[in-house]
Amino acid sequence: MRIKVIIPNTSGEFRNAQVEHRKGVAHPGTVVDVVSLPHGPVSIESAADEARAAPYLVEEVCRAAAEGYDAVTVDCAADVALRAVKEIADIPVVSAGEAAFLVAMAIGDRFGVITVLPATAAVIGQNIRAMGLTQRCACVRAVEVPVLDLDTCPGVEERVYQECQQAITADGADVIVLGCTGMARLARRLAERLPVPVVEPGAAAVKLAELMVILRLRPSRRAYPRPAPKQVR
Amino acid sequence: MRIKVIIPNTSGEFRNAQVEHRKGVAHPGTVVDVVSLPHGPVSIESAADEARAAPYLVEEVCRAAAEGYDAVTVDCAADVALRAVKEIADIPVVSAGEAAFLVAMAIGDRFGVITVLPATAAVIGQNIRAMGLTQRCACVRAVEVPVLDLDTCPGVEERVYQECQQAITADGADVIVLGCTGMARLARRLAERLPVPVVEPGAAAVKLAELMVILRLRPSRRAYPRPAPKQVR
Amino acid sequence: MRIKVIIPNTSGEFRNAQVEHRKGVAHPGTVVDVVSLPHGPVSIESAADEARAAPYLVEEVCRAAAEGYDAVTVDCAADVALRAVKEIADIPVVSAGEAAFLVAMAIGDRFGVITVLPATAAVIGQNIRAMGLTQRCACVRAVEVPVLDLDTCPGVEERVYQECQQAITADGADVIVLGCTGMARLARRLAERLPVPVVEPGAAAVKLAELMVILRLRPSRRAYPRPAPKQVR
Amino acid sequence: MRIKVIIPNTSGEFRNAQVEHRKGVAHPGTVVDVVSLPHGPVSIESAADEARAAPYLVEEVCRAAAEGYDAVTVDCAADVALRAVKEIADIPVVSAGEAAFLVAMAIGDRFGVITVLPATAAVIGQNIRAMGLTQRCACVRAVEVPVLDLDTCPGVEERVYQECQQAITADGADVIVLGCTGMARLARRLAERLPVPVVEPGAAAVKLAELMVILRLRPSRRAYPRPAPKQVR
Amino acid sequence: MRIKVIIPNTSGEFRNAQVEHRKGVAHPGTVVDVVSLPHGPVSIESAADEARAAPYLVEEVCRAAAEGYDAVTVDCAADVALRAVKEIADIPVVSAGEAAFLVAMAIGDRFGVITVLPATAAVIGQNIRAMGLTQRCACVRAVEVPVLDLDTCPGVEERVYQECQQAITADGADVIVLGCTGMARLARRLAERLPVPVVEPGAAAVKLAELMVILRLRPSRRAYPRPAPKQVR
Amino acid sequence: MRIKVIIPNTSGEFRNAQVEHRKGVAHPGTVVDVVSLPHGPVSIESAADEARAAPYLVEEVCRAAAEGYDAVTVDCAADVALRAVKEIADIPVVSAGEAAFLVAMAIGDRFGVITVLPATAAVIGQNIRAMGLTQRCACVRAVEVPVLDLDTCPGVEERVYQECQQAITADGADVIVLGCTGMARLARRLAERLPVPVVEPGAAAVKLAELMVILRLRPSRRAYPRPAPKQVR
């Protein structure tokens, strides 16, 4: 099985830091390729970033089937262009935020999301409402560290840990969903320190994509009708 | 007052057909300019279309304040890049679908939306859920006529009328929202024939934009934080 | 265009204090008349007050069309007899609380309402649930100052400001709706001091009424069937 | 124990037809007095009717404690002035529609309401939403027979029966709530003919009022703060 | 009338402590028998406890009609096997938690539940969601005292009182529902000390069972179809 | 990895028919053992059946970790004792109905469930509400064929197919979830004939269990506190 992990930003460093985390959870027989976008913002932290990345992401997803991939994951907890990528793919496409929320609901009652910036939190909060899952979400919190500083800013683990604790104690979260795939390297340590499970969206998406391939499931054409070819200027 | 109406597609004919409908509802002192996008799909009928139009729409909205406009409307019932345009504008920005739903709720209990294609209906249905308004929406129905055929396909008014009737009779709608701004020319006639009010989104957006300017209201920076400047490749 | 603003209480002083705020937001061509009720409570602060004002409000609304008005606003954030006034009017009728909630939803995600007394807050909270808008409301808070003391009680602006801050900080409100039309004089100052927009219901209602007249929209007879004439003892 | 059943209309005939049905379900030790209002509409079928009956109902409820009653029921499935009567009573006050919905939820999953006119159905539907019970309501249907014709119009039982059947078959109702206390005489026969239980609101209210007295429960003053005395003109 | 109160645990002491509280609220003509289960856990504090008690409870309920009872109550605020007991009974069956929530909604807006352990709180919280009543529930809190220690652990009343206060002040509860029938002896005192009504579930269930008998209501066979006889190994 | 699939009924034939379907979707390195319960009903079709199977299921789950399993699935679309099995397991435990609903939400908007009997449909419907997923469920339909007749009753595939078609056409389902793991043998054929994806719960559970093991996720102890040891008679 071949899975294409598409990071919808244009930062090579970000991509390099994710590769091992995505490959590490795949089954031995699964080939995982991790790619970034050729154009668009260097990171996704707002709806404006999403708007600017959207057409390039759609194009990248379009190519996947022709390239021989069995499935695609969109490696972003903010679920960029979530409907569009399901409309245009002929193969399973799994988005990291959505995958993580679904997995979290199987092990807890109300998940808390810890993400990067307030704008990102607002986007994720609305995504969850659009999915009809508000009742199952305890909170969406921001650590106020930009995506590309997550690996370099001192004390990031501690700040994420503190927000997780607040989500649990003040908001009643019983599962934590990391709200940025750039936090993948923190997942293991946080899971050890916190009294609740921690779901890392990038890994959840890879595993859910494998599941979809084995179960022969793809986005419903009734829910996501395939757009007719159309002139784009 | 100057209002910029941005149609998020690239069809000149479509634009020309809308101009009078938008100008016709403005107050005498309001200047209304209607523009299309320079790049992107010729019409918006799916999430994929929205993804491809999004960055050009964002750019067009960005320019509006510098051009001296007091407000912007996004002239599309599918609410393209709804969060993004609110994040990046320094002036009021009103999106046609959202405006129509809000106006409809002031005069009825549950609105029915009549739009063009099944994919458009699916997008609008999810927008309504993202807005938390599902309880107030009776249905979203599609006439299965593409946007750019609305003016030329024979029997369009009748097909829209039939779907409106179904929305009222079978689904319990007590207000109709036209689910495509390209249906503006049908609004008056439908309102005469139907037993319930008909809300035309393009006009609703222009009037709501005027309201916002007079009441000095703009998108909340807490709900829609302004994105920091960022490198886009 | 002529709009009749009906304040559903019987206090002349209250009326006098509102007049300029309502007229001030109307378009140049709009005539705004502000009236009180001839009978009923001096202020509306509870459901019991609403019950006692209701028949006189209904009568006043009934008269409006015959008097030549194009639209009516019910100038109360607690939305007195909201269904009844829509049932009996042949012209657009807009209620201030509802108008403000709808406008707030176009510029923010979750609005916070700041009103006078706990009983008023309870009424408004239930109105919002009846409208199906609970998901979009962060809180309804009371400053514990009666309506008729709003202009004379020292420190009112500060108390309202403090509750707004709490709504934003503790409850996550990203727009403020003033929960009493008697707070109109505070709106401008609060908007300057607070980090989020402030919606004043009386003004919102006047502007939404203008919108309804221009768009030729009235309450749906399916949602609000016109009552047959009936014997009243 | 003494219970005052207040019918919020002014029709003596209607009152006379109800008396035995209310007394018939009370415990032997309970005295039940059934009264109408001195002023107001002859029947309650719309929000406008409710507005016109409201102040007289409030006054009648106010008197009940002084008259020595232990509890009050408001004998109307449309729950006239529901919040107001709870605010002003010092004794338990139970409203018939609300009582019936709560009882229905203990024996079924989704109740269907069968009421008189479309306007009444609209009022009841919104009441149910205001109570936050929409998920538990399958439908609100109207037989299109006015309240005061229920006893004389030929074929009423059959029309009610047909709507009940539709509620069960087409809408999935698994309990029927009669949506007008004037249908009390039909309850027994309908229960025999239908495959689901039938809840009669007037009786449900009397029994729930008895329950409240024995359990020493009254409307919460936090939910329904007692209004301060106030000048009414 | 004869009512069988079934406590779904196996503790004789617990049963003895409840008897007077259940009999005390019944009408003079009602015979109340209080029984425990012959097998199963000594107390119900978790879903695992419920699973272990379920078959014995079902059997005990099955026997009730043959024993000549007119109604059954399941005396547990965690609503053990709620659907199952309704499916298999030919007589009214009322469960204590559900009864208390319904009664609470008639006197307040949002009830707060105070129960024994965190696991019990989690079970009750999910029950409330399964009933579709989440909007009407302010909180479910645990005093962290096991069921069988409620009568002996020093300071229990104070701990319950403190949690009630928190429910009211911090969570906005306007009615308290005791979340364990073993708290019955505390109900009267708490009601005196708290500013809101207190609903005791065991008593609420007995009274609601009486109501069901008089109104001739039983669980709907559409909502709770009677299981066909089946081989059980 | 070793996964224990527990079928919560006592029918050996049923078990034998499932084995290949469960093993067939597992990864090569996964050992799948399929077991039935030693005691309890021969099939699960109602809440009463669930109540009677619950303690034996709990016991079987308890043993799994000691037996060296890495995860457990509860192989029933009606999610028997869903909370209890999560409370008592030290390893991941995935229930088939829940797993299928979560997977369905990743590929469609609103899923339709096709199950065996009306009682089963009622149980599943309430499970979905308890999970807070009502907005995402189009319908739960019953083919009126008992579980143990699914393999022998003539025309079963056609009946299931017809209900699937109704779910899609009349109720708007865009994904089908089979509502009984005994329908596993039909899944492939239905998927070929229907215009939407078909999710088979037993397989979905096995794959989700594998995912949980690789991602090191288990039920949250905050959501599902571990019950203290307790005397069971």
Side-chain angles (χ1 to χ4, degrees), chain F residues 4-215:
Chain F
K4 184 183 193 181
V5 173
I6 306 176
I7 299 172
N9 71 26
T10 53
S11 163
E13 264 177 67
F14 185 92
R15 192 201 76 88
N16 294 341
Q18 304 313 311
V19 172
E20 67 174 309
H21 297 292
R22 300 302 164 266
K23 291 182 187 286
V25 296
H27 267 284
T30 304
V31 174
V32 172
D33 293 331
V34 182
V35 303
S36 296
L37 297 185
H39 302 288
V42 289
S43 63
I44 302 290
E45 293 165 334
S46 66
D49 289 342
E50 297 198 341
R52 285 167 175 139
Y56 308 109
L57 171 60
V58 165
E59 209 169 313
E60 198 68 35
V61 171
C62 273
R63 261 202 297 276
E67 292 166 336
Y69 288 103
D70 298 290
V72 164
T73 76
V74 177
D75 197 71
C76 179
D79 290 325
V80 181
L82 181 59
R83 290 192 67 85
V85 295
K86 291 183 182 174
E87 281 177 359
I88 48 92
D90 273 333
I91 54 178
V93 53
V94 173
S95 188
E98 185 179 49
F101 307 147
L102 296 175
V103 165
M105 292 197 297
I107 54 176
D109 185 41
R110 298 202 309 142
F111 57 87
V113 184
I114 311 300
T115 189
V116 285
L117 301 186
T120 333
V123 167
I124 291 174
Q126 185 151 11
N127 287 348
I128 289 167
R129 197 161 64 202
M131 293 172 197
L133 305 181
T134 306
Q135 270 191 86
R136 302 293 296 273
C137 177
C139 59
V140 186
R141 287 174 164 269
V143 290
E144 313 232 10
V145 177
V147 169
L148 299 184
D149 296 355
L150 283 172
D151 283 357
T152 57
C153 170
V156 162
E157 182 187 321
E158 206 53 31
R159 284 169 80 162
V160 175
Y161 174 75
Q162 291 304 335
E163 288 298 324
C164 291
Q165 282 288 20
Q166 281 299 101
I168 296 165
T169 311
D171 303 327
D174 44 38
V175 186
I176 293 295
V177 171
L178 296 180
C180 175
T181 54
M183 293 176 178
R185 71 172 177 89
L186 306 174
R188 183 68 57 88
R189 284 270 299 147
L190 289 167
E192 286 164 11
R193 298 177 66 188
L194 291 167
V196 304
V198 175
V199 181
E200 197 285 296
V206 168
K207 297 308 289 179
L208 199 56
E210 287 181 332
L211 177 155
M212 293 291 176
V213 173
I214 299 297
L215 298 185

Side-chain angles (χ1 to χ4, degrees), chain D residues 78-121:
Chain D
D79 289 325
V80 181
L82 181 59
R83 290 193 67 86
V85 295
K86 292 182 181 174
E87 281 177 358
I88 49 92
D90 273 332
I91 53 178
V93 53
V94 173
S95 189
E98 186 180 47
F101 307 146
L102 296 175
V103 165
M105 291 198 297
I107 54 176
D109 185 41
R110 298 201 311 142
F111 56 87
V113 184
I114 311 300
T115 189
V116 284
L117 301 186
T120 332

Side-chain angles (χ1 to χ4, degrees), chain C residues 144-199:
Chain C
E144 312 231 10
V145 178
V147 170
L148 299 184
D149 296 356
L150 282 172
D151 284 357
T152 55
C153 170
V156 163
E157 182 187 321
E158 206 54 32
R159 285 169 78 161
V160 175
Y161 174 75
Q162 291 303 336
E163 289 298 325
C164 290
Q165 283 287 21
Q166 281 298 103
I168 296 165
T169 311
D171 303 328
D174 44 39
V175 186
I176 293 295
V177 171
L178 297 181
C180 176
T181 54
M183 293 175 178
R185 69 172 179 88
L186 306 173
R188 183 68 56 87
R189 284 270 300 147
L190 289 166
E192 287 164 9
R193 296 177 66 187
L194 291 165
V196 303
V198 175
V199 181

Side-chain angles (χ1 to χ4, degrees), chain E residues 10 39-43 45-49 51-52 54-55 58 83-84 87-88 119 122-123 126 129-130 223 225 227 230-233, chain F residues 10 39-43 45-49 51-52 54-55 58 83-84 87-88 119 122-123 126 129-130 223 225 227 230-233:
Chain E
T10 53
H39 302 287
V42 289
S43 63
E45 293 165 334
S46 66
D49 289 341
R52 285 166 177 141
V58 164
R83 289 192 69 84
E87 280 178 359
I88 49 91
V123 167
Q126 185 150 13
R129 197 160 65 200
K230 173 175 291 187
Q231 193 188 348
V232 178
R233 279 172 192 159
Chain F
T10 53
H39 302 288
V42 289
S43 63
E45 293 165 334
S46 66
D49 289 342
R52 285 167 175 139
V58 165
R83 290 192 67 85
E87 281 177 359
I88 48 92
V123 167
Q126 185 151 11
R129 197 161 64 202
K230 173 177 292 189
Q231 190 186 352
V232 179
R233 278 171 193 160

Side-chain angles (χ1 to χ4, degrees), chain E residues 8 44 50 57 74-83 85 94-101 123-124 127-128 131 201:
Chain E
I44 302 291
E50 298 199 340
L57 171 61
V74 177
D75 198 71
C76 178
D79 289 325
V80 181
L82 181 60
R83 289 192 69 84
V85 296
V94 173
S95 188
E98 186 179 48
F101 307 147
V123 167
I124 291 175
N127 287 348
I128 289 167
M131 294 173 198

Side-chain angles (χ1 to χ4, degrees), chain A:
Chain A
M1 186 191 316
R2 294 181 61 211
I3 294 180
K4 184 182 191 180
V5 173
I6 307 176
I7 299 172
N9 71 26
T10 53
S11 162
E13 265 178 66
F14 184 92
R15 192 201 76 89
N16 295 341
Q18 305 311 311
V19 172
E20 67 174 308
H21 297 292
R22 300 302 164 266
K23 291 182 188 284
V25 296
H27 266 284
T30 303
V31 174
V32 172
D33 293 331
V34 182
V35 304
S36 298
L37 298 184
H39 302 288
V42 289
S43 63
I44 302 290
E45 293 165 333
S46 67
D49 289 342
E50 297 199 341
R52 285 166 176 139
Y56 308 108
L57 171 60
V58 164
E59 209 169 312
E60 197 70 35
V61 171
C62 272
R63 260 201 299 276
E67 293 165 337
Y69 288 103
D70 298 290
V72 164
T73 76
V74 178
D75 198 72
C76 177
D79 289 325
V80 181
L82 181 60
R83 290 192 68 84
V85 295
K86 292 183 182 174
E87 281 177 358
I88 50 90
D90 273 332
I91 53 177
V93 53
V94 173
S95 189
E98 186 179 47
F101 308 147
L102 296 175
V103 165
M105 292 198 297
I107 53 176
D109 186 40
R110 298 202 310 140
F111 56 87
V113 184
I114 310 302
T115 189
V116 285
L117 300 187
T120 332
V123 166
I124 291 174
Q126 185 150 12
N127 287 348
I128 289 167
R129 197 160 64 201
M131 294 173 197
L133 305 180
T134 307
Q135 271 192 85
R136 302 293 295 276
C137 177
C139 59
V140 186
R141 287 174 164 270
V143 290
E144 312 230 9
V145 178
V147 169
L148 299 184
D149 296 355
L150 283 172
D151 284 356
T152 54
C153 169
V156 163
E157 182 188 321
E158 206 53 32
R159 284 170 80 160
V160 175
Y161 174 75
Q162 291 304 335
E163 287 299 323
C164 290
Q165 282 287 22
Q166 280 300 100
I168 295 165
T169 311
D171 303 328
D174 44 40
V175 187
I176 292 294
V177 171
L178 297 181
C180 176
T181 54
M183 294 175 178
R185 69 171 180 89
L186 306 174
R188 183 68 56 86
R189 285 269 301 144
L190 289 166
E192 287 164 8
R193 297 177 66 188
L194 291 166
V196 303
V198 175
V199 181
E200 196 285 296
V206 168
K207 297 308 290 179
L208 199 57
E210 287 181 332
L211 177 154
M212 294 290 176
V213 173
I214 299 296
L215 298 184
R216 303 185 184 206
L217 295 172
R218 290 191 303 187
S220 165
R221 279 288 163 256
R222 290 286 167 123
Y224 303 99
R226 186 160 186 74
K230 174 176 291 188
Q231 192 188 349
V232 178
R233 278 171 192 160

Side-chain angles (χ1 to χ4, degrees), chain B residues 118-131:
Chain B
T120 332
V123 166
I124 291 175
Q126 185 150 12
N127 287 347
I128 289 167
R129 197 161 63 202
M131 293 172 197

